[in-house]
Amino acid sequence: MNGPSEVRSLIASYWEDPAAASLAGYLARGGYEAARQALTAMKPEDVIEEVKRANLRGRGGAGFPAGLKWSFVPRTSPKPKYLVVNADESEPGTFKDKYIMLRSPHLLIEGAIIAAYAIDARVAYIYVRGEYDVCRLRLEEALREAYEAGFLGRGIFGTAYDLDIYVHKGAGAYIAGEETGLLESLEGKRAYPRIKPPFPATVGLFRCPTVINNVETLAYVPFIIRHGGAWFASLGTERNGGFKLYCVSGHVRRPGVYELPMGTSLRTIIEDHAGGVWQDRRLKAVIPGGSSAPVLRADEIDVPADFDALAKAGSMLGSAGIVVMDEMTCMVRALEVIADFYADESCGQCTPCREGAPWLLEMVQDILHGRADPSYPDLMLQVAQNILGRTICALGDAAALPVLSFVRKFRSEFDYHIEYKRCDVEERYGGVSNPD
Ligand SMILES: Cc1cc2nc3c(=O)[nH]c(=O)nc-3n(C[C@H](O)[C@H](O)[C@H](O)COP(=O)(O)O)c2cc1C
Ligand code: SF4
């Protein structure tokens, strides 16, 4: 292991220095040395092995091992290969990729160069969320700088390797962040997710082998090449290497993005880093991984925030959008906000999602407005169960999982609304916290 023994942050260390957003500032911190090392001194398969050793799990939501994904690209295929950077960042509660693009765009570009080299892609696209215009402009400027310096284009670092990176403005829909919906959108079509298999590694963009990676996933790659995969792996937990950007929002004193070792406990993130629950109130619930992750009760947050531990705890790390809810939160209203989002964002291809998501919303609204009967909570569970696992993409699951967890864990609030046509929380506290 040749990395520093004590590190407080990796990506976020660049954010402390505003100059690091420019090429000059990035170079002053050793920028593009990892890409130079990979392209001039390592074979593509060595790069993949190093990333495998790092236990770098995809930061876009599913946590798939990055090195393994890269290794699925058929090296002997005569077709062009593509790297696609998923910068669509639309999962409610998630706002980390924005920071990378704005404050350390060259980290992403350098990571993309290394990844593209590893899979033998000569063209890469960065698909940026439609609403993130400032990020897009910042990336375009950083790409211009990288081309001028010879880090992109023909014969990079004097090698025979060529790479072009293009920025593509997203279509303004959550579903365009689903990797195959994204590919459709990039091809100029409506972002309808594709049935898998085949997976993009073999049949991806323009039906060619393609790797899709999240912004944060790629931004960690230069550190792995610079200091070694084993070093990166040692920073996190078993099978969950490195550091992680946690986005904390909701009812905390200091919302923000915190970079911490993978597996830091949820309680530590919320209490020590985000300052704990605001206004001296008590904690009620936490969504640990963006709005699609099952909610945890206050007594369930002593859990390492990594992919495996949170799955074991019945939720998921997802995109690490940690949404904190205080004791004055009405869980029925909070679920309405989430259900509304998924009903709105369903692309409509699969019946369970297209019909089920709005039905779930309708039921939760009926409960809120005193129009429901006592059968509703069980009916909601049944509808959600029937969406789960029966759709083309994971948006169906994302619509179902919050319902299952909110209703099961906070059932009494749903029942109270139905029986008394009033909010139990509002009665007890004289008001409710804003669920947005
Ligand atoms: C409905 C839906 C929306 C998604 N949105 C995003 C997104 O905005 N950004 C992202 O990186 N991944 C998103 N994903 C996950 C991607 O499909 C894909 O797993 C990810 O980009 C792969 O990169 P990674 O392996 O580096 O995590 C979404 C998935 C689903 C089902
Ligand atoms: S699950 Fe929903 S969003 Fe995904 S393809 Fe089916 S209808 Fe579209």
Side-chain angles (χ1 to χ4, degrees), residues 357-380:
W359 193 8
L360 289 169
L361 172 63
E362 208 178 301
M363 283 191 276
V364 80
Q365 286 176 333
D366 280 351
I367 294 175
L368 269 177
H369 297 114
R371 299 188 294 258
D373 67 56
S375 69
Y376 269 51
D378 284 332
L379 186 58
M380 286 173 76

PDB file of all heavy atoms in Angstrom, residues 357-380:
ATOM      1  N   ALA A 357     -48.329   3.108  -9.565  1.00  0.00           N
ATOM      2  CA  ALA A 357     -47.754   4.282  -8.880  1.00  0.00           C
ATOM      3  C   ALA A 357     -48.815   5.378  -8.664  1.00  0.00           C
ATOM      4  O   ALA A 357     -48.951   5.889  -7.547  1.00  0.00           O
ATOM      5  CB  ALA A 357     -46.536   4.794  -9.643  1.00  0.00           C
ATOM      6  N   PRO A 358     -49.615   5.735  -9.684  1.00  0.00           N
ATOM      7  CA  PRO A 358     -50.669   6.723  -9.419  1.00  0.00           C
ATOM      8  C   PRO A 358     -51.738   6.215  -8.455  1.00  0.00           C
ATOM      9  O   PRO A 358     -52.307   6.986  -7.685  1.00  0.00           O
ATOM     10  CB  PRO A 358     -51.287   6.972 -10.814  1.00  0.00           C
ATOM     11  CG  PRO A 358     -50.278   6.502 -11.787  1.00  0.00           C
ATOM     12  CD  PRO A 358     -49.528   5.400 -11.108  1.00  0.00           C
ATOM     13  N   TRP A 359     -51.990   4.913  -8.475  1.00  0.00           N
ATOM     14  CA  TRP A 359     -52.979   4.350  -7.559  1.00  0.00           C
ATOM     15  C   TRP A 359     -52.501   4.498  -6.115  1.00  0.00           C
ATOM     16  O   TRP A 359     -53.266   4.867  -5.211  1.00  0.00           O
ATOM     17  CB  TRP A 359     -53.221   2.878  -7.933  1.00  0.00           C
ATOM     18  CG  TRP A 359     -54.413   2.262  -7.294  1.00  0.00           C
ATOM     19  CD1 TRP A 359     -55.373   2.896  -6.558  1.00  0.00           C
ATOM     20  CD2 TRP A 359     -54.767   0.871  -7.323  1.00  0.00           C
ATOM     21  NE1 TRP A 359     -56.307   1.996  -6.131  1.00  0.00           N
ATOM     22  CE2 TRP A 359     -55.962   0.746  -6.589  1.00  0.00           C
ATOM     23  CE3 TRP A 359     -54.202  -0.268  -7.902  1.00  0.00           C
ATOM     24  CZ2 TRP A 359     -56.597  -0.486  -6.411  1.00  0.00           C
ATOM     25  CZ3 TRP A 359     -54.836  -1.485  -7.714  1.00  0.00           C
ATOM     26  CH2 TRP A 359     -56.013  -1.595  -6.989  1.00  0.00           C
ATOM     27  N   LEU A 360     -51.231   4.231  -5.886  1.00  0.00           N
ATOM     28  CA  LEU A 360     -50.663   4.404  -4.547  1.00  0.00           C
ATOM     29  C   LEU A 360     -50.778   5.857  -4.098  1.00  0.00           C
ATOM     30  O   LEU A 360     -51.136   6.150  -2.952  1.00  0.00           O
ATOM     31  CB  LEU A 360     -49.200   3.954  -4.528  1.00  0.00           C
ATOM     32  CG  LEU A 360     -48.966   2.448  -4.650  1.00  0.00           C
ATOM     33  CD1 LEU A 360     -47.488   2.135  -4.888  1.00  0.00           C
ATOM     34  CD2 LEU A 360     -49.453   1.725  -3.389  1.00  0.00           C
ATOM     35  N   LEU A 361     -50.517   6.769  -5.016  1.00  0.00           N
ATOM     36  CA  LEU A 361     -50.630   8.194  -4.695  1.00  0.00           C
ATOM     37  C   LEU A 361     -52.076   8.534  -4.328  1.00  0.00           C
ATOM     38  O   LEU A 361     -52.335   9.223  -3.334  1.00  0.00           O
ATOM     39  CB  LEU A 361     -50.162   9.043  -5.888  1.00  0.00           C
ATOM     40  CG  LEU A 361     -50.406  10.545  -5.761  1.00  0.00           C
ATOM     41  CD1 LEU A 361     -49.612  11.130  -4.595  1.00  0.00           C
ATOM     42  CD2 LEU A 361     -50.048  11.279  -7.058  1.00  0.00           C
ATOM     43  N   GLU A 362     -52.989   8.031  -5.145  1.00  0.00           N
ATOM     44  CA  GLU A 362     -54.406   8.318  -4.911  1.00  0.00           C
ATOM     45  C   GLU A 362     -54.831   7.818  -3.522  1.00  0.00           C
ATOM     46  O   GLU A 362     -55.536   8.512  -2.790  1.00  0.00           O
ATOM     47  CB  GLU A 362     -55.211   7.582  -5.987  1.00  0.00           C
ATOM     48  CG  GLU A 362     -56.532   8.234  -6.331  1.00  0.00           C
ATOM     49  CD  GLU A 362     -57.200   7.427  -7.441  1.00  0.00           C
ATOM     50  OE1 GLU A 362     -56.599   7.287  -8.532  1.00  0.00           O
ATOM     51  OE2 GLU A 362     -58.305   6.913  -7.199  1.00  0.00           O
ATOM     52  N   MET A 363     -54.345   6.621  -3.176  1.00  0.00           N
ATOM     53  CA  MET A 363     -54.734   6.067  -1.873  1.00  0.00           C
ATOM     54  C   MET A 363     -54.171   6.887  -0.718  1.00  0.00           C
ATOM     55  O   MET A 363     -54.872   7.151   0.260  1.00  0.00           O
ATOM     56  CB  MET A 363     -54.294   4.603  -1.768  1.00  0.00           C
ATOM     57  CG  MET A 363     -55.221   3.690  -2.556  1.00  0.00           C
ATOM     58  SD  MET A 363     -54.933   1.958  -2.186  1.00  0.00           S
ATOM     59  CE  MET A 363     -53.592   1.588  -3.274  1.00  0.00           C
ATOM     60  N   VAL A 364     -52.927   7.294  -0.849  1.00  0.00           N
ATOM     61  CA  VAL A 364     -52.338   8.070   0.254  1.00  0.00           C
ATOM     62  C   VAL A 364     -53.038   9.433   0.353  1.00  0.00           C
ATOM     63  O   VAL A 364     -53.271   9.953   1.457  1.00  0.00           O
ATOM     64  CB  VAL A 364     -50.795   8.150   0.122  1.00  0.00           C
ATOM     65  CG1 VAL A 364     -50.329   9.171  -0.845  1.00  0.00           C
ATOM     66  CG2 VAL A 364     -50.152   8.418   1.462  1.00  0.00           C
ATOM     67  N   GLN A 365     -53.439   9.981  -0.772  1.00  0.00           N
ATOM     68  CA  GLN A 365     -54.164  11.257  -0.733  1.00  0.00           C
ATOM     69  C   GLN A 365     -55.560  11.077  -0.142  1.00  0.00           C
ATOM     70  O   GLN A 365     -56.047  11.932   0.597  1.00  0.00           O
ATOM     71  CB  GLN A 365     -54.227  11.861  -2.139  1.00  0.00           C
ATOM     72  CG  GLN A 365     -52.881  12.428  -2.553  1.00  0.00           C
ATOM     73  CD  GLN A 365     -52.842  12.958  -3.963  1.00  0.00           C
ATOM     74  OE1 GLN A 365     -53.606  12.504  -4.829  1.00  0.00           O
ATOM     75  NE2 GLN A 365     -51.933  13.886  -4.216  1.00  0.00           N
ATOM     76  N   ASP A 366     -56.189   9.951  -0.451  1.00  0.00           N
ATOM     77  CA  ASP A 366     -57.497   9.658   0.149  1.00  0.00           C
ATOM     78  C   ASP A 366     -57.376   9.576   1.672  1.00  0.00           C
ATOM     79  O   ASP A 366     -58.231  10.061   2.406  1.00  0.00           O
ATOM     80  CB  ASP A 366     -58.052   8.331  -0.384  1.00  0.00           C
ATOM     81  CG  ASP A 366     -58.681   8.504  -1.764  1.00  0.00           C
ATOM     82  OD1 ASP A 366     -58.834   9.664  -2.201  1.00  0.00           O
ATOM     83  OD2 ASP A 366     -59.007   7.486  -2.409  1.00  0.00           O
ATOM     84  N   ILE A 367     -56.280   8.948   2.129  1.00  0.00           N
ATOM     85  CA  ILE A 367     -56.072   8.828   3.576  1.00  0.00           C
ATOM     86  C   ILE A 367     -55.903  10.219   4.182  1.00  0.00           C
ATOM     87  O   ILE A 367     -56.516  10.563   5.197  1.00  0.00           O
ATOM     88  CB  ILE A 367     -54.845   7.935   3.887  1.00  0.00           C
ATOM     89  CG1 ILE A 367     -55.115   6.495   3.434  1.00  0.00           C
ATOM     90  CG2 ILE A 367     -54.500   7.974   5.369  1.00  0.00           C
ATOM     91  CD1 ILE A 367     -53.936   5.550   3.571  1.00  0.00           C
ATOM     92  N   LEU A 368     -55.097  11.042   3.517  1.00  0.00           N
ATOM     93  CA  LEU A 368     -54.831  12.389   4.034  1.00  0.00           C
ATOM     94  C   LEU A 368     -56.078  13.255   4.082  1.00  0.00           C
ATOM     95  O   LEU A 368     -56.235  14.089   4.968  1.00  0.00           O
ATOM     96  CB  LEU A 368     -53.803  13.088   3.121  1.00  0.00           C
ATOM     97  CG  LEU A 368     -52.342  12.942   3.478  1.00  0.00           C
ATOM     98  CD1 LEU A 368     -51.484  13.630   2.430  1.00  0.00           C
ATOM     99  CD2 LEU A 368     -52.063  13.543   4.859  1.00  0.00           C
ATOM    100  N   HIS A 369     -56.956  13.057   3.104  1.00  0.00           N
ATOM    101  CA  HIS A 369     -58.118  13.945   3.000  1.00  0.00           C
ATOM    102  C   HIS A 369     -59.410  13.319   3.531  1.00  0.00           C
ATOM    103  O   HIS A 369     -60.505  13.729   3.163  1.00  0.00           O
ATOM    104  CB  HIS A 369     -58.274  14.428   1.558  1.00  0.00           C
ATOM    105  CG  HIS A 369     -57.087  15.239   1.117  1.00  0.00           C
ATOM    106  ND1 HIS A 369     -56.226  14.831   0.135  1.00  0.00           N
ATOM    107  CD2 HIS A 369     -56.595  16.406   1.599  1.00  0.00           C
ATOM    108  CE1 HIS A 369     -55.252  15.725   0.015  1.00  0.00           C
ATOM    109  NE2 HIS A 369     -55.452  16.685   0.881  1.00  0.00           N
ATOM    110  N   GLY A 370     -59.234  12.288   4.337  1.00  0.00           N
ATOM    111  CA  GLY A 370     -60.401  11.718   5.021  1.00  0.00           C
ATOM    112  C   GLY A 370     -61.361  10.961   4.130  1.00  0.00           C
ATOM    113  O   GLY A 370     -62.547  10.864   4.432  1.00  0.00           O
ATOM    114  N   ARG A 371     -60.872  10.425   3.029  1.00  0.00           N
ATOM    115  CA  ARG A 371     -61.762   9.701   2.118  1.00  0.00           C
ATOM    116  C   ARG A 371     -61.510   8.194   2.127  1.00  0.00           C
ATOM    117  O   ARG A 371     -62.049   7.469   1.301  1.00  0.00           O
ATOM    118  CB  ARG A 371     -61.548  10.205   0.674  1.00  0.00           C
ATOM    119  CG  ARG A 371     -61.843  11.687   0.458  1.00  0.00           C
ATOM    120  CD  ARG A 371     -61.795  12.032  -1.010  1.00  0.00           C
ATOM    121  NE  ARG A 371     -60.461  11.903  -1.571  1.00  0.00           N
ATOM    122  CZ  ARG A 371     -59.631  12.925  -1.816  1.00  0.00           C
ATOM    123  NH1 ARG A 371     -60.019  14.155  -1.554  1.00  0.00           N
ATOM    124  NH2 ARG A 371     -58.435  12.723  -2.333  1.00  0.00           N
ATOM    125  N   ALA A 372     -60.659   7.728   3.044  1.00  0.00           N
ATOM    126  CA  ALA A 372     -60.254   6.313   2.992  1.00  0.00           C
ATOM    127  C   ALA A 372     -61.002   5.478   4.027  1.00  0.00           C
ATOM    128  O   ALA A 372     -61.469   5.991   5.038  1.00  0.00           O
ATOM    129  CB  ALA A 372     -58.762   6.219   3.246  1.00  0.00           C
ATOM    130  N   ASP A 373     -61.108   4.174   3.758  1.00  0.00           N
ATOM    131  CA  ASP A 373     -61.662   3.280   4.778  1.00  0.00           C
ATOM    132  C   ASP A 373     -60.523   2.413   5.324  1.00  0.00           C
ATOM    133  O   ASP A 373     -59.414   2.402   4.772  1.00  0.00           O
ATOM    134  CB  ASP A 373     -62.828   2.463   4.206  1.00  0.00           C
ATOM    135  CG  ASP A 373     -62.387   1.477   3.152  1.00  0.00           C
ATOM    136  OD1 ASP A 373     -61.507   0.631   3.447  1.00  0.00           O
ATOM    137  OD2 ASP A 373     -62.905   1.557   2.021  1.00  0.00           O
ATOM    138  N   PRO A 374     -60.784   1.658   6.407  1.00  0.00           N
ATOM    139  CA  PRO A 374     -59.690   0.945   7.091  1.00  0.00           C
ATOM    140  C   PRO A 374     -58.962  -0.103   6.244  1.00  0.00           C
ATOM    141  O   PRO A 374     -57.895  -0.581   6.632  1.00  0.00           O
ATOM    142  CB  PRO A 374     -60.408   0.275   8.284  1.00  0.00           C
ATOM    143  CG  PRO A 374     -61.624   1.098   8.513  1.00  0.00           C
ATOM    144  CD  PRO A 374     -62.047   1.593   7.168  1.00  0.00           C
ATOM    145  N   SER A 375     -59.515  -0.449   5.080  1.00  0.00           N
ATOM    146  CA  SER A 375     -58.837  -1.455   4.254  1.00  0.00           C
ATOM    147  C   SER A 375     -57.637  -0.852   3.496  1.00  0.00           C
ATOM    148  O   SER A 375     -56.819  -1.582   2.920  1.00  0.00           O
ATOM    149  CB  SER A 375     -59.825  -2.044   3.236  1.00  0.00           C
ATOM    150  OG  SER A 375     -60.163  -1.050   2.273  1.00  0.00           O
ATOM    151  N   TYR A 376     -57.530   0.475   3.466  1.00  0.00           N
ATOM    152  CA  TYR A 376     -56.532   1.116   2.599  1.00  0.00           C
ATOM    153  C   TYR A 376     -55.071   0.714   2.878  1.00  0.00           C
ATOM    154  O   TYR A 376     -54.349   0.388   1.939  1.00  0.00           O
ATOM    155  CB  TYR A 376     -56.675   2.640   2.662  1.00  0.00           C
ATOM    156  CG  TYR A 376     -57.616   3.183   1.617  1.00  0.00           C
ATOM    157  CD1 TYR A 376     -58.893   2.660   1.446  1.00  0.00           C
ATOM    158  CD2 TYR A 376     -57.236   4.238   0.792  1.00  0.00           C
ATOM    159  CE1 TYR A 376     -59.760   3.164   0.493  1.00  0.00           C
ATOM    160  CE2 TYR A 376     -58.096   4.749  -0.161  1.00  0.00           C
ATOM    161  CZ  TYR A 376     -59.353   4.217  -0.304  1.00  0.00           C
ATOM    162  OH  TYR A 376     -60.202   4.709  -1.250  1.00  0.00           O
ATOM    163  N   PRO A 377     -54.622   0.757   4.136  1.00  0.00           N
ATOM    164  CA  PRO A 377     -53.193   0.429   4.339  1.00  0.00           C
ATOM    165  C   PRO A 377     -52.835  -0.955   3.798  1.00  0.00           C
ATOM    166  O   PRO A 377     -51.802  -1.115   3.132  1.00  0.00           O
ATOM    167  CB  PRO A 377     -53.022   0.514   5.856  1.00  0.00           C
ATOM    168  CG  PRO A 377     -54.069   1.494   6.276  1.00  0.00           C
ATOM    169  CD  PRO A 377     -55.241   1.222   5.384  1.00  0.00           C
ATOM    170  N   ASP A 378     -53.689  -1.940   4.046  1.00  0.00           N
ATOM    171  CA  ASP A 378     -53.385  -3.286   3.526  1.00  0.00           C
ATOM    172  C   ASP A 378     -53.464  -3.318   2.008  1.00  0.00           C
ATOM    173  O   ASP A 378     -52.674  -4.005   1.351  1.00  0.00           O
ATOM    174  CB  ASP A 378     -54.353  -4.322   4.126  1.00  0.00           C
ATOM    175  CG  ASP A 378     -53.982  -4.636   5.568  1.00  0.00           C
ATOM    176  OD1 ASP A 378     -52.786  -4.518   5.902  1.00  0.00           O
ATOM    177  OD2 ASP A 378     -54.890  -4.965   6.356  1.00  0.00           O
ATOM    178  N   LEU A 379     -54.414  -2.570   1.462  1.00  0.00           N
ATOM    179  CA  LEU A 379     -54.527  -2.528  -0.005  1.00  0.00           C
ATOM    180  C   LEU A 379     -53.277  -1.879  -0.610  1.00  0.00           C
ATOM    181  O   LEU A 379     -52.743  -2.334  -1.632  1.00  0.00           O
ATOM    182  CB  LEU A 379     -55.782  -1.737  -0.399  1.00  0.00           C
ATOM    183  CG  LEU A 379     -56.135  -1.716  -1.889  1.00  0.00           C
ATOM    184  CD1 LEU A 379     -56.328  -3.135  -2.429  1.00  0.00           C
ATOM    185  CD2 LEU A 379     -57.407  -0.894  -2.125  1.00  0.00           C
ATOM    186  N   MET A 380     -52.768  -0.855   0.066  1.00  0.00           N
ATOM    187  CA  MET A 380     -51.532  -0.210  -0.418  1.00  0.00           C
ATOM    188  C   MET A 380     -50.371  -1.205  -0.410  1.00  0.00           C
ATOM    189  O   MET A 380     -49.580  -1.262  -1.358  1.00  0.00           O
ATOM    190  CB  MET A 380     -51.184   1.003   0.454  1.00  0.00           C
ATOM    191  CG  MET A 380     -52.090   2.186   0.199  1.00  0.00           C
ATOM    192  SD  MET A 380     -51.788   3.503   1.377  1.00  0.00           S
ATOM    193  CE  MET A 380     -50.273   4.182   0.747  1.00  0.00           C
TER     194      MET A 380
END
